[in-house]
Amino acid sequence: MLNIGVLASGRGSNFQAIIDDIEAGKIKASIKLLITDRADAFAMERAKKHSIEYMFINPRDFASKDAFFAKIADEFTKRDIGLVVLAGFMRIVRQPLLDAFQNMIINIHPALLPSFPGLHGQGQAVEYGSRISGCTVHFVDAGMDTGPIIIQAAVPVAPDDTEETLSQRILRLEHKIFPHAIRLYAEGRLRIEGRIVKIDGYKLNDCAIINPPLDQ
Ligand code: GRF
C-alpha cells in the first residue's frame, strides 16, 4: 500500500479532503506523517483527530533552506513514503527533497496554470479580469508551480467576485481533484513523459473538470 507524507503550512482543508477519501476507502493509501513549517498550522489538529503522526519542523533551526529540506526528506525516507503531498505548503521545494522523491511530489495550486503561479492565484485572476479560473494538481519540480500537470478544474469568475468569493468556489473543486489525483497516483496510472503526464485508462472527467458543466 502507498505511504503518503504531507507538507502543510496552514488550515489544511485539502489535507482533510484527502483524509476523508482515504477513510472512505476511495484511495488505497495511508498517511504516515504530516510535517508543518509553522507552529500554529491548524493541519496538525486534523492529524491529531485522525491519529496521524505529525511534527512541526522549524525552518529557523536550520543553517540553510537545503538543510531544512534535507531533514524533511530524511523523515519521509524513514517512513518509506511513496508520495509527498503539498497541501497548502507555502515554500518552494528545494533539491534535497526533490532528489530524494523524484516524480513523487504533487501540489495543488488555486489557478489554471500556467496562468497566475505563486501567491494569491485567485486574487490575480480577479484583478486580471479572467472569465474562467480554477485549480491545478501538478507534479513538483524546482520552479514555482511549473511541474507537469495532472488534473485541472475550471470555474467561472463572476463580475462581482472578490479574491475571497472566487477562492471559496475554487476550494470546493480543490477538495475533489486533489484526492482524485492521489487516487490515480495510488493506482499506478500516472506516467511522466517530458512535461506531459500520461494517464492509463484516461477518461475526460479524470483530469479536466468544468463546474458547472458547459451543457447546463
Ligand atoms: C489552497 O488554496 C491551495 O490551493 C493552496 O493553498 C491553499 C491551502 O488551503 N496551495 P488548505 O490549507 O488546504 O485549506
Side-chain angles (χ1 to χ4, degrees):
M1 193 155 70
L2 176 68
N3 290 334
I4 294 177
V6 177
L7 285 167
S9 301
R11 75 190 155 180
S13 70
N14 279 288
F15 175 45
Q16 185 70 52
I18 297 161
I19 292 171
D20 292 347
D21 270 18
I22 289 176
E23 289 186 353
K26 291 186 197 165
I27 306 171
K28 302 272 175 288
S30 155
I31 303 176
K32 291 290 178 207
L33 178 64
L34 164 75
I35 296 176
T36 75
D37 61 339
R38 294 187 52 126
D40 60 352
F42 186 73
M44 287 190 284
E45 299 298 321
R46 301 179 192 271
K48 201 184 296 176
K49 194 166 160 210
H50 292 269
S51 306
I52 294 167
E53 187 189 0
Y54 62 92
M55 61 174 71
F56 161 54
I57 301 181
N58 192 344
R60 292 187 188 164
D61 290 344
F62 297 85
S64 67
K65 288 179 182 166
D66 278 1
F68 170 68
F69 279 99
K71 166 73 173 164
I72 293 173
D74 188 44
E75 295 296 341
F76 284 155
T77 302
K78 272 195 250 172
R79 289 162 184 82
D80 197 22
I81 295 303
L83 175 67
V84 175
V85 173
L86 309 189
F89 184 62
M90 308 307 283
R91 286 170 192 276
I92 305 275
V93 172
R94 306 274 298 201
Q95 218 57 47
L97 185 61
L98 291 170
D99 288 345
F101 291 90
Q102 265 184 15
N103 295 340
M104 297 162 80
I105 309 175
I106 63 173
N107 179 47
I108 181 116
H109 180 73
L112 290 179
L113 294 171
S115 294
F116 314 128
L119 291 176
H120 301 287
Q122 309 95 327
Q124 291 185 59
V126 169
E127 272 166 34
Y128 196 84
S130 296
R131 297 300 192 196
I132 293 178
S133 191
C135 44
T136 304
V137 183
H138 62 93
F139 282 101
V140 172
D141 61 15
M144 164 119 66
D145 304 319
T146 49
I149 290 171
I150 302 169
I151 300 186
Q152 293 190 303
V155 300
V157 182
D160 58 353
D161 262 332
T162 62
E163 179 168 359
E164 271 76 59
T165 58
L166 181 59
S167 296
Q168 284 166 19
R169 194 174 307 123
I170 291 174
L171 192 64
R172 282 198 291 275
L173 284 182
E174 292 184 35
H175 295 164
K176 290 188 180 159
I177 68 170
F178 210 10
H180 189 63
I182 292 169
R183 179 178 174 171
L184 293 174
Y185 183 97
E187 291 173 351
R189 292 172 57 194
L190 304 180
R191 205 173 64 249
I192 303 179
E193 288 180 12
R195 73 152 294 113
I196 304 299
V197 178
K198 301 280 187 189
I199 302 181
D200 285 346
Y202 175 96
K203 288 196 277 353
L204 208 48
N205 283 342
D206 269 342
C207 28
I209 296 165
I210 298 174
N211 194 321
L214 288 178
D215 60 0
Q216 267 187 8

